[in-house]
Amino acid sequence: MTSEEVKINVEKALAEIRPFLESDGGNISLVSIEDDRLVKVQLEGACVGCTVNQMTLKSGVEMTIKKYVPQIEKVVNIER
Protein backbone atom coordinates (compact mmCIF):
# COMPACT_ATOMS: atom_id res chain seq x y z
CA MET A 1 0.00 0.00 0.00
CA THR A 2 1.45 3.38 -0.98
CA SER A 3 1.59 6.29 1.46
CA GLU A 4 -1.26 7.95 -0.43
CA GLU A 5 -3.39 4.80 -0.18
CA VAL A 6 -2.64 4.60 3.55
CA LYS A 7 -3.81 8.19 4.01
CA ILE A 8 -6.98 7.62 1.97
CA ASN A 9 -7.84 4.49 3.95
CA VAL A 10 -7.13 6.16 7.31
CA GLU A 11 -9.48 8.98 6.27
CA LYS A 12 -12.14 6.38 5.36
CA ALA A 13 -11.75 4.82 8.80
CA LEU A 14 -12.09 8.21 10.50
CA ALA A 15 -15.20 8.94 8.41
CA GLU A 16 -16.70 5.69 9.73
CA ILE A 17 -15.93 6.63 13.35
CA ARG A 18 -16.85 10.33 13.15
CA PRO A 19 -20.67 9.97 13.43
CA PHE A 20 -20.31 8.12 16.74
CA LEU A 21 -18.04 10.82 18.15
CA GLU A 22 -20.29 13.60 16.83
CA SER A 23 -23.32 12.03 18.52
CA ASP A 24 -21.55 12.67 21.84
CA GLY A 25 -20.44 16.19 20.91
CA GLY A 26 -16.93 15.26 19.80
CA ASN A 27 -14.93 14.85 16.63
CA ILE A 28 -11.55 13.65 15.36
CA SER A 29 -9.07 14.91 12.80
CA LEU A 30 -5.99 13.39 11.22
CA VAL A 31 -2.78 15.17 12.23
CA SER A 32 -0.18 12.99 10.48
CA ILE A 33 0.90 9.51 9.48
CA GLU A 34 4.53 8.63 10.18
CA ASP A 35 6.38 5.87 8.31
CA ASP A 36 2.99 4.40 7.27
CA ARG A 37 2.90 2.82 10.76
CA LEU A 38 1.98 5.51 13.31
CA VAL A 39 -1.18 7.60 13.03
CA LYS A 40 -1.48 10.85 14.98
CA VAL A 41 -4.99 12.19 15.48
CA GLN A 42 -6.53 14.98 17.47
CA LEU A 43 -9.67 14.37 19.46
CA GLU A 44 -11.90 17.45 19.48
CA GLY A 45 -14.93 18.89 21.23
CA ALA A 46 -16.39 16.80 24.05
CA CYS A 47 -13.75 14.11 23.42
CA VAL A 48 -10.99 16.38 24.77
CA GLY A 49 -12.04 16.21 28.41
CA CYS A 50 -13.80 12.86 28.28
CA THR A 51 -12.65 10.33 30.85
CA VAL A 52 -12.99 7.42 28.42
CA ASN A 53 -11.19 9.01 25.45
CA GLN A 54 -8.22 6.61 25.73
CA MET A 55 -10.60 3.66 25.59
CA THR A 56 -12.33 5.24 22.58
CA LEU A 57 -8.95 5.79 20.95
CA LYS A 58 -7.81 2.16 21.42
CA SER A 59 -11.08 0.23 21.12
CA GLY A 60 -12.80 2.35 18.50
CA VAL A 61 -10.40 4.48 16.53
CA GLU A 62 -7.31 2.25 16.44
CA MET A 63 -9.32 -0.91 15.80
CA THR A 64 -11.22 0.70 12.90
CA ILE A 65 -8.08 2.18 11.35
CA LYS A 66 -6.33 -1.22 11.54
CA LYS A 67 -9.34 -2.77 9.79
CA TYR A 68 -8.71 -0.44 6.82
CA VAL A 69 -4.89 -0.38 7.09
CA PRO A 70 -3.55 -3.50 8.86
CA GLN A 71 0.06 -2.25 8.78
CA ILE A 72 -0.73 0.59 11.22
CA GLU A 73 0.89 -0.27 14.54
CA LYS A 74 -0.34 2.52 16.79
CA VAL A 75 -2.74 5.45 16.93
CA VAL A 76 -1.99 8.31 19.33
CA ASN A 77 -3.89 11.45 20.28
CA ILE A 78 -2.01 14.71 19.98
CA GLU A 79 -3.26 17.37 22.37
CA ARG A 80 -2.91 20.96 21.20
Side-chain angles (χ1 to χ4, degrees):
M1 198 177 288
T2 67
S3 293
E4 186 60 28
E5 289 170 324
V6 168
K7 183 175 190 273
I8 289 168
N9 285 319
V10 168
E11 289 285 8
K12 285 180 187 175
L14 294 180
E16 182 179 313
I17 297 160
R18 196 166 280 118
F20 299 103
L21 298 176
E22 288 173 342
S23 71
D24 288 329
N27 206 339
I28 191 168
S29 61
L30 177 62
V31 175
S32 66
I33 303 171
E34 296 181 4
D35 301 323
D36 294 339
R37 300 258 182 263
L38 172 67
V39 176
K40 293 183 178 181
V41 297
Q42 183 176 16
L43 293 170
E44 301 167 349
C47 292
V48 173
C50 180
T51 56
V52 294
N53 69 11
Q54 287 305 306
M55 187 176 76
T56 298
L57 195 65
K58 290 291 172 197
S59 301
V61 178
E62 188 171 280
M63 188 175 71
T64 304
I65 288 174
K66 285 180 176 180
K67 181 174 76 175
Y68 282 84
V69 190
Q71 72 202 46
I72 295 299
E73 295 171 359
K74 190 172 184 182
V75 177
V76 295
N77 179 45
I78 304 299
E79 295 180 20
R80 293 191 186 185

